[in-house]
């Protein structure tokens, strides 16, 4: 076998996609939000100054999203791309590369109060060596309304950085929305306070509510890890059933982004009723109960409260 | 263990190390598996330096399919009636923020699935279905079993010998429907069977059914007179719906499909010198791209997700921009390979490994190497015999140093997330483009 490399030619052609930035002509900012909750925040802040594209739409699961060529086109045209970060959007790096976009990629969870994930790692064994792999943060930070305020502030800053003329509008919109979020937090605390303390343990399909747990005092058990990308094993489920009994969990909830069969099985085996559907990583469609972030949190709160109310 | 230590650096993501420890290393390894048009042999090459790593004798000339994980290559030997599993020796373990790579010698695993005239080979949801045309049934197994060298084969029977396919799902399978009057004609549709062979729901018409591919969580089934079928997964089970040609399209048929990776799309033929970029949910789901001459082969680029490559009979390789739908660059690679003659005559095939595109040149006994960025021919590798089918596996991962590993949990939240989460470890010609590798995207 003969192997030889030919000389590289001196002329190197690199194809790049020129982003079709048109905001100056259209008097609006082209914004891409990676998933529906960020899209809602962006719309609240940007109002009618922005043209918004949301990649993972209503009831969609960003953990396992497969981006399409049309998404790459949207990125190429964007002025600002809003992502959660914390390894939530596993598809984004490749999509940014494919699109050739020059837009600002803004990680809106920056500065939020992020949970280290004590269970987000695992050991590997290589011969006599042990290697620990960490998945260091829980990405579902928006389930804390306090964090949602940080998201909104970051979005306003990102818009101001690209569209200085609209900055006063973005800032004012953000402040109005943050005021609504503050009121929402008061509602949450009041409703949770009405739930007996011994009934504040529930079960969901994946670990999406640990920020809600931290900030508001409802304990969520789940059979899966943080990402819906990993299937729960039979051992996980058996362990969870034991945990449900040990902690005297009061209700099991389906999630809008997850197959409900697993939690239905868990509810059956644990002798619990399915308490309804919670919205974790995505909003509902416009006709559903959670088309906006505010409505999503209120829906989750009322669903939990109803299921945990004393009979 | 043979490793290819191309680059090593003290990466920011790696461990807090105990005293005397070594840094973790970034390792890149790519391998090419090449079959011969007439000989029962598979040659394994190091795609980085062109050296032969090993050569495996099998039972007959083979079409090659790589697994989604890249850990296994399957040699489907239609004339010899065998499907042979080869361990590639490259394995990744994805950890979200990085992937570990383990590189070892390739080898025959010991699994050889036998039967009459194996043809279409499909991987879906962790299962492989090798369809045996001569028996009209598929034998289904998992990669774990394939690598272990033994498997309890699950059989899915279509009812009659024909040129068909089976697509496995979690508790059911999509099965081609043989032509009711003459099974030697193309199938007339598909149906869903449960694990006991009982039909679920109605038949789905697709007269002329041929070709299937997977892209993410979507499956496409080709060959229908009026379009293709799209299969979505709902709770691990198939939901089938037609994707019909729109009125503005000229006469055509999509009977050879490959699936995009990194971007969700399908690349199909349409007519002899036109390919179609298919997006199931787009306003115009079929975008046509005209080629200068007839198509010989195509492959998707999973490293650079926006590109695919089409080889045409005039000896040119074309870089197809999936986003714009244009041919971005072209380069002449071989002499002419006319599509006249028998469909199974030896003609070039394409695979992507790292920063290079490899094209087999059967009549010259060579692989040509094309730089994926400059799109210029940068090298060639001479191979004995008639190199024909080619698949690649590999990518870049981390090999952990010899230390008591404990990841640093004190990451600053401001850490850079620009690492390649998906990693480039999957060239992913999608192994279900076997019909294309066989170049039997013809009317049966």
């Amino acid at each position: 076998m003969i192997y030889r490399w030919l000389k590289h030619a001196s002329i190197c052609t690199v194809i790049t996609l020129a982003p079709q930035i048109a905001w100056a002509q259209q008097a609006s900012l082209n914004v891409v939000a990676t998933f529906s909750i960020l899209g809602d925040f962006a719309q609240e802040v940007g109002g009618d100054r922005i043209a918004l594209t949301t990649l993972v739409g209503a009831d969609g699961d960003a953990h396992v999203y497969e981006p399409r060529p049309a998404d790459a086109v949207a990125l190429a045209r964007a002025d600002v791309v809003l992502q959660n970060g914390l390894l939530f959007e596993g598809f984004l790096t490749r999509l940014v590369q494919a699109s050739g976009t020059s837009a600002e990629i803004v990680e809106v969870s920056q500065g939020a109060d992020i949970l280290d994930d004590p269970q987000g790692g695992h050991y590997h064994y290589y011969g006599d060596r042990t290697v620990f792999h960490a998945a260091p943060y829980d990405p579902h930070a928006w389930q804390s309304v306090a964090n949602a305020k940080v998201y909104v502030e970051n979005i306003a800053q990102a818009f101001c950085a690209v569209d200085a003329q609209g900055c006063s509008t973005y800032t004012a919109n953000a402040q109005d929305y943050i005021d609504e979020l503050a009121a929402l937090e008061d509602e949450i605390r009041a409703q949770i306070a009405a739930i007996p303390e011994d009934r504040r343990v529930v079960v969901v399909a994946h670990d999406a509510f640990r920020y809600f747990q931290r900030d508001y005092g409802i304990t969520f058990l789940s059979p899966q890890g943080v990402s819906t990308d990993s299937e729960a094993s039979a051992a996980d489920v058996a362990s969870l059933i034991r945990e449900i009994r040990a902690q005297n969990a009061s209700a099991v909830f389906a999630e809008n982004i997850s197959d409900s069969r697993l939690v239905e099985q868990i509810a059956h085996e644990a002798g619990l009723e399915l308490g309804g559907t919670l919205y974790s990583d995505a909003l509902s469609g416009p006709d559903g109960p959670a088309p906006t972030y505010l409505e999503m949190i209120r829906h989750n709160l009322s669903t939990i409260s109803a299921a945990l109310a004393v009979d | 263990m043979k490793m290819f230590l191309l680059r090593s650096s003290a990466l920011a993501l790696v461990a807090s190390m105990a005293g005397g420890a070594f840094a973790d290393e970034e390792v890149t390894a790519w391998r090419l598996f090449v079959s011969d048009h007439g000989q029962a042999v598979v040659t394994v090459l190091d795609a980085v330096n062109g050296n032969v790593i090993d050569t495996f004798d099998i039972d007959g000339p083979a079409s090659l399919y790589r697994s989604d994980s890249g850990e296994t290559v399957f040699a489907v030997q239609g004339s010899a009636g065998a499907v042979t599993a080869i361990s590639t020796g490259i394995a990744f373990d994805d950890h979200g923020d990085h992937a570990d790579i383990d590189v070892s010698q390739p080898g025959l695993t010991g699994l050889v699935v036998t039967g009459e005239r194996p043809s279409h080979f499909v991987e879906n949801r962790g299962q492989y279905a090798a369809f045996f045309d001569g028996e009209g049934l598929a034998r289904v197994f998992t990669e774990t079993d394939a690598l272990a060298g033994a498997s309890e084969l699950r059989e899915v029977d279509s009812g009659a010998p024909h040129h068909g396919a089976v697509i496995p799902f979690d508790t059911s399978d999509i099965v081609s429907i043989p032509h009711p009057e003459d099974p030697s004609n193309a199938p007339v549709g598909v149906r869903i069977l449960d694990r006991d062979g009982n039909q679920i729901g109605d038949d789905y018409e697709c007269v002329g059914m041929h070709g299937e591919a997977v892209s993410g969580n979507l499956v496409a089934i080709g060959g229908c007179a009026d379009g293709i079928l799209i299969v979505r997964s709902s709770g691990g089970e198939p939901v089938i719906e037609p994707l019909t040609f729109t009125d503005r399209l000229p006469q055509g048929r999509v009977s050879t499909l490959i699936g995009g990776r990194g971007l969700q799309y399908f690349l199909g033929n349409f007519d002899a010198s036109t390919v179609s970029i298919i997006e199931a949910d787009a306003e115009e789901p079929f975008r046509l791209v005209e080629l200068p001459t007839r198509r010989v082969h195509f492959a998707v680029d999973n490293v650079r997700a926006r590109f695919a490559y089409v080889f045409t009979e005039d000896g040119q390789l074309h870089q197809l921009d999936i986003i714009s739908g244009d041919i971005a660059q072209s380069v002449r690679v071989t002499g002419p390979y006319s599509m006249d003659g028998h469909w199974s005559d030896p003609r070039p095939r394409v695979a992507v490994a790292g920063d290079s595109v490899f094209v087999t040149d059967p009549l010259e006994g060579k692989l040509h190497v094309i730089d994926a960025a400059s799109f210029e021919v940068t090298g060639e590798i001479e191979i004995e015999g008639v190199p024909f089918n080619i698949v690649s596996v590999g990518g870049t991962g981390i090999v952990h140093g010899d230390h008591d590993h404990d990841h640093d949990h004190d990451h600053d939240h401001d850490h850079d997330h620009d690492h390649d989460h998906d990693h480039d470890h999957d060239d992913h010609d999608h192994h279900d483009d076997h019909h294309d590798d066989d170049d039997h995207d013809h009317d049966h």
Side-chain angles (χ1 to χ4, degrees):
Chain A
M1 174 170 295
I2 299 170
Y3 180 81
R4 61 180 186 273
W5 295 107
L6 302 182
K7 283 185 178 178
H8 284 263
S10 58
I11 301 171
C12 177
T13 306
V14 177
I15 297 294
T16 56
L17 184 71
Q20 299 171 39
I21 297 174
W23 67 271
Q25 288 77 30
Q26 297 175 357
S28 67
L29 207 56
N30 285 317
V31 176
V32 170
T34 53
F35 68 110
S36 56
I37 292 167
L38 295 193
D40 184 46
F41 292 159
Q43 199 67 71
E44 289 287 347
V45 174
D48 56 11
R49 286 192 68 89
I50 67 166
L52 175 68
T53 300
T54 300
L55 300 182
V56 185
D59 298 319
D61 186 351
H63 293 294
V64 294
Y65 183 68
E66 300 283 346
R68 292 140 195 177
D71 297 334
V73 172
L75 253 68
R77 293 174 177 165
D79 303 308
V80 179
V81 177
L82 303 175
Q83 66 155 326
N84 184 74
L86 305 171
L87 300 178
F88 182 65
E89 301 98 335
F91 62 87
L92 190 63
T93 302
R94 187 66 63 86
L95 182 62
V96 167
Q97 186 182 34
S99 72
T101 186
S102 58
E104 284 292 317
I105 313 293
V106 180
E107 185 174 315
V108 299
S109 64
Q110 290 276 355
D113 187 2
I114 299 302
L115 274 173
D116 283 353
D117 185 4
Q119 297 174 335
H122 50 269
Y123 286 92
H124 286 254
Y125 302 95
Y126 297 91
D128 58 353
R129 292 186 297 125
T130 301
V131 174
F132 182 77
H133 286 125
Y137 304 108
D138 183 338
H140 306 88
W142 61 85
Q143 290 291 349
S144 155
V145 177
N147 280 341
K149 295 178 193 170
V150 177
Y151 280 35
V152 170
E153 288 169 352
N154 286 337
I155 290 168
Q157 283 180 21
F159 290 177
C160 284
V162 182
D163 177 19
Q165 282 188 323
C167 188
S168 58
T169 302
Y170 302 137
T171 305
N173 288 348
Q175 190 53 58
D176 288 348
Y177 190 57
I178 285 170
D179 290 345
E180 290 190 70
L181 293 172
L184 178 65
E185 274 201 297
D186 293 340
E187 286 177 46
I188 296 170
R189 295 190 198 286
Q191 285 206 39
I192 300 293
I195 299 171
E197 288 190 18
D198 62 353
R199 291 183 60 82
R200 294 184 189 174
V201 179
V202 302
V203 182
V204 288
H206 92 290
D207 272 347
F209 296 95
R210 286 195 286 194
Y211 288 92
F212 197 95
Q213 174 174 319
R214 180 194 68 185
D215 287 8
Y216 311 117
I218 297 287
T219 298
F220 290 85
L221 307 177
S222 79
Q224 282 179 300
V226 169
S227 169
T228 55
D229 206 7
S230 58
E231 299 286 331
S233 68
D236 288 338
V237 173
S239 170
L240 179 64
I241 299 293
R242 286 194 296 274
E243 189 75 7
I244 287 170
R245 289 178 178 140
Q247 295 210 33
N248 196 25
S250 300
V252 178
F253 297 100
E255 277 178 61
N256 66 320
I257 64 161
S258 298
D259 186 351
S260 63
R261 288 179 300 180
L262 177 62
V263 288
E264 286 169 1
Q265 177 201 342
I266 289 165
H268 177 73
E269 291 188 23
L272 294 170
E273 293 289 320
L274 209 56
T277 298
L278 302 183
Y279 286 74
S280 54
D281 297 9
L283 302 175
S284 72
D287 298 329
T292 68
Y293 177 79
L294 294 173
E295 289 168 290
M296 177 186 87
I297 296 292
R298 289 194 174 102
H299 167 82
N300 288 349
L301 187 59
S302 63
T303 303
I304 293 168
S305 296
L308 300 187
V310 178
D311 297 332
Chain B
M1 176 179 282
K2 184 174 182 180
M3 288 191 179
F4 305 88
L5 302 174
L6 295 184
R7 288 172 288 170
S8 63
S9 58
L11 295 175
L13 64 88
V14 297
S16 59
M17 294 178 291
F22 297 100
D24 295 346
E25 289 177 295
E26 189 178 75
V27 171
T28 296
W30 286 96
R31 287 176 179 172
L32 301 169
F33 291 71
V34 183
S35 67
D36 190 275
H37 190 266
Q39 303 299 315
V41 65
V42 174
T43 302
V44 187
L45 298 155
D46 182 332
V48 179
N49 60 27
N51 292 333
V52 173
I53 296 172
D54 212 335
T55 301
F56 299 113
D57 292 327
I58 51 177
D59 298 316
S63 296
L64 300 176
Y65 311 100
R66 50 151 297 171
S67 69
D68 185 60
S69 72
E71 292 186 45
T72 319
V73 165
F74 296 95
V76 178
Q77 303 141 75
S79 59
V83 178
T84 302
I86 303 169
S87 167
T88 66
I90 297 179
F92 291 88
D93 194 6
D94 193 351
H95 301 293
D97 61 348
H98 70 282
D100 293 347
I101 185 172
D102 184 48
V103 184
S104 58
Q105 280 294 318
L108 299 173
T109 71
L111 177 70
V112 181
V113 182
T114 57
E116 198 174 336
R117 296 208 315 274
S119 58
H120 283 210
F121 187 89
V122 177
E123 177 182 0
N124 192 46
R125 299 189 69 84
Q127 300 173 77
Y128 306 102
F131 194 85
F132 292 83
D133 287 359
E135 301 167 77
L137 59 78
R139 296 189 168 91
V140 183
F141 52 95
T142 66
E143 184 163 52
T144 302
D145 287 340
L147 289 169
S151 178
E152 285 192 18
L153 302 170
R154 182 169 67 83
E155 292 193 347
V156 181
D157 195 344
S158 71
H162 73 289
H163 184 55
V166 162
I167 304 166
F169 281 78
D170 288 3
T171 62
S172 61
D173 303 281
I174 294 177
V175 182
S176 55
I177 303 171
H179 192 288
E181 292 154 14
D182 183 358
S184 68
N185 288 335
V188 296
V190 296
R191 57 174 59 118
I192 301 170
L193 302 182
D194 68 17
R195 285 290 188 264
D196 296 323
N198 301 312
Q199 183 166 351
I200 301 171
D202 298 327
D203 289 351
Y204 298 86
E205 184 177 288
C206 177
V207 176
M209 179 248 170
H210 186 275
E212 62 286 315
V214 180
S215 181
N217 56 4
L218 283 185
V219 177
I221 299 172
C224 321
D226 58 350
I228 65 172
L229 299 176
I230 292 291
V231 188
R232 301 175 196 276
S233 178
S234 175
E237 301 309 326
V239 178
I240 302 173
E241 59 193 41
L243 186 64
T244 308
F245 293 142
T246 53
D247 292 339
R248 71 168 194 82
L249 293 175
Q251 184 69 29
R253 179 168 170 254
V254 178
S255 59
T256 297
L257 287 158
I258 54 176
R261 173 97 175 210
L263 289 177
Q264 188 170 54
Y265 70 93
F266 297 98
L267 183 60
N269 61 344
F270 192 76
D271 60 33
S273 58
T274 307
V275 295
S276 51
I277 301 168
I278 304 166
E279 286 182 79
D281 297 316
E283 200 168 312
E284 175 47 74
F286 296 91
R287 286 185 288 153
L288 302 186
V289 182
E290 291 190 15
L291 307 171
T293 58
R294 289 178 290 184
R295 179 191 64 89
V296 174
H297 190 237
F298 50 25
V300 301
D301 187 333
N302 300 294
V303 179
R304 292 152 290 272
R306 74 179 297 163
F307 295 119
Y309 304 97
V310 186
F311 190 87
T312 49
E313 63 180 346
D314 57 358
Q316 287 196 90
L317 182 71
H318 308 279
Q319 185 186 52
L320 177 59
D321 186 328
I322 295 299
I323 296 171
S324 70
D326 298 323
I327 293 175
Q329 304 184 82
S330 299
V331 61
R332 187 167 302 281
V333 177
T334 73
Y337 274 92
S338 172
M339 288 301 289
D340 293 333
H342 197 279
W343 63 268
S344 65
D345 286 344
R347 299 185 184 91
R349 297 290 182 264
V350 182
V352 184
D355 294 331
S356 298
V357 183
F358 292 82
V359 176
T360 59
D361 191 345
L363 298 184
E364 296 295 326
K366 292 176 181 172
L367 299 184
H368 298 280
V369 187
I370 297 94
D371 184 90
S374 68
F375 219 62
E376 292 172 352
V377 178
T378 55
E380 61 185 36
I381 304 169
E382 294 196 1
I383 294 184
E384 291 179 9
V386 186
F388 183 41
N389 258 261
I390 181 170
V391 295
S392 69
V393 300
T396 299
I398 301 295
V399 171
H400 291 283
D402 185 15
H403 55 78
D404 297 328
H405 186 108
D406 183 13
H407 270 249
D408 181 3
H409 284 272
D410 297 328
H411 292 267
D412 185 339
H413 176 214
D414 296 337
H415 66 285
D416 181 5
H417 282 286
D418 284 346
H419 49 256
D420 184 355
H421 175 66
D422 289 336
H423 296 275
D424 294 342
H425 62 73
D426 199 352
D427 170 58
H428 204 87
D429 307 54
H430 240 308
H431 38 268
D432 32 356
D433 61 346
H434 40 277
H435 44 284
D436 187 45
D437 284 345
D438 277 347
D439 198 26
H440 65 272
D441 48 335
H442 55 289
D443 292 323
H444 291 276

